[in-house]
Amino acid sequence: MAQIVTHAIVLRRVNYRENDRMLTLFSPNLGRIDALCRGCRRQKSPLLAASELFCAGEYVLYQSRDRVTVTGCTITDSYYPLRDDYERLSHGVYLLELCAAGIQPSQENERLFLLLLRSLAHLTYGQTKPRRVTVVFLMGLLSLLGFRPQVGRCCRCRQNITGAAAFSAEAGGILCQACGAGEKCRLSPEDVAYLQAIMRRGLDTLSEEGNCPDALFEALQAMAEDRLGMAIRAGHMLP
């Protein structure tokens, strides 16, 4: 039996019994934690807000054998304004589902945790189009999970990419014009430079001009689902 205090964010919640919820938490140092939140659905419960999606804070947990229970939480941000904009909300839920699919129990991933919090902050409080935020997140997620997209050289012939190209989810990145002749996702020189900038500067590119063609967005989604080994349901809800 032990008390655990950790920063975490709620990735999933499922109502359980009459007043409880089962939560999937993402902790930067403990990975995925499945925890029971007792009585949180009661109207005056101090844990009501702490059991909602997007809630981030310092959680106090109690572990007894294989069961973890939430006993307290100091909330740092709930990203509440997301709920007022369907497009931004749907992208936020998509980011949560991607993390839920990618993290494992007891697996530290502080960089992914910080990437998620910063991405949600951009979606909630920034002016950048949600799709651009999600593209940066997808590139970062794939890199941090060991599937870094190749954007500097052709994935097949290893030629340096300086002009127009193609993107292949199956190959894992950019293909030169010759190798990518049959690919659906075509990239202009500006698109290639945009992807290369994301790999260098991540979310900092959101302060600059940039564009993400629909075909590239869909290819990155397909690559993420293939590497994670599952379909991300919220991806089909994105406007």
Side-chain angles (χ1 to χ4, degrees):
M1 298 182 182
Q3 179 174 283
I4 302 168
V5 179
T6 181
H7 290 283
I9 183 170
V10 179
L11 301 182
R12 289 177 180 162
R13 61 165 178 75
V14 177
N15 290 341
Y16 179 65
R17 295 178 177 169
E18 185 175 354
N19 294 305
D20 305 339
R21 277 180 177 153
M22 292 298 301
L23 306 181
T24 298
L25 303 174
F26 178 11
S27 162
N29 56 320
L30 299 174
R32 190 184 75 228
I33 303 170
D34 297 312
L36 176 64
C37 197
R38 295 184 184 276
C40 62
R41 293 163 59 200
R42 294 191 180 99
Q43 187 173 4
K44 295 184 179 181
S45 171
L47 294 176
L48 178 60
S51 68
E52 295 289 351
L53 288 180
F54 301 108
C55 182
E58 187 177 69
Y59 280 78
V60 180
L61 310 173
Y62 181 76
Q63 183 169 10
S64 177
R65 297 182 182 178
D66 295 331
R67 171 165 288 185
V68 178
T69 304
V70 178
T71 59
C73 177
T74 302
I75 297 173
T76 56
D77 203 335
S78 63
Y79 304 98
Y80 192 81
L82 277 179
R83 294 154 178 83
D84 295 329
D85 185 315
Y86 174 78
E87 182 180 11
R88 292 181 179 277
L89 176 63
S90 60
H91 277 266
V93 172
Y94 181 56
L95 303 193
L96 296 187
E97 288 197 14
L98 285 168
C99 285
I103 62 174
Q104 301 296 325
S106 303
Q107 185 179 74
E108 179 180 354
N109 202 329
E110 184 176 1
R111 293 179 66 188
L112 180 57
F113 181 80
L114 294 176
L115 175 64
L116 175 60
L117 295 191
R118 289 187 64 198
S119 298
L120 289 176
H122 277 284
L123 286 175
T124 307
Y125 308 114
Q127 300 301 317
T128 306
K129 292 183 178 180
R131 181 165 289 204
R132 285 192 60 202
V133 178
T134 298
V135 165
V136 176
F137 183 84
L138 283 166
M139 296 279 281
L141 172 82
L142 287 165
S143 299
L144 292 171
L145 295 182
F147 307 112
R148 183 182 178 90
Q150 175 61 255
V151 298
R153 296 184 178 186
C154 175
C155 292
R156 291 179 181 152
C157 71
R158 311 303 295 170
Q159 173 184 326
N160 287 332
I161 302 294
T162 56
F167 190 93
S168 169
E170 180 181 1
I174 287 180
L175 299 175
C176 67
Q177 293 193 68
C179 294
E183 294 293 332
K184 174 184 175 182
C185 181
R186 313 302 302 178
L187 302 178
S188 68
E190 292 76 19
D191 296 332
V192 173
Y194 175 56
L195 283 181
Q196 292 172 344
I198 290 175
M199 294 308 296
R200 291 194 304 271
R201 302 196 302 279
L203 289 167
D204 291 339
T205 60
L206 297 181
S207 62
E208 306 166 3
E209 293 295 326
N211 183 43
C212 179
D214 289 344
L216 175 58
F217 187 76
E218 292 167 3
L220 284 169
Q221 284 185 286
M223 183 175 173
E225 292 193 0
D226 177 74
R227 302 310 189 266
L228 292 171
M230 67 176 66
I232 306 300
R233 292 178 299 174
H236 303 292
M237 301 169 57
L238 298 180

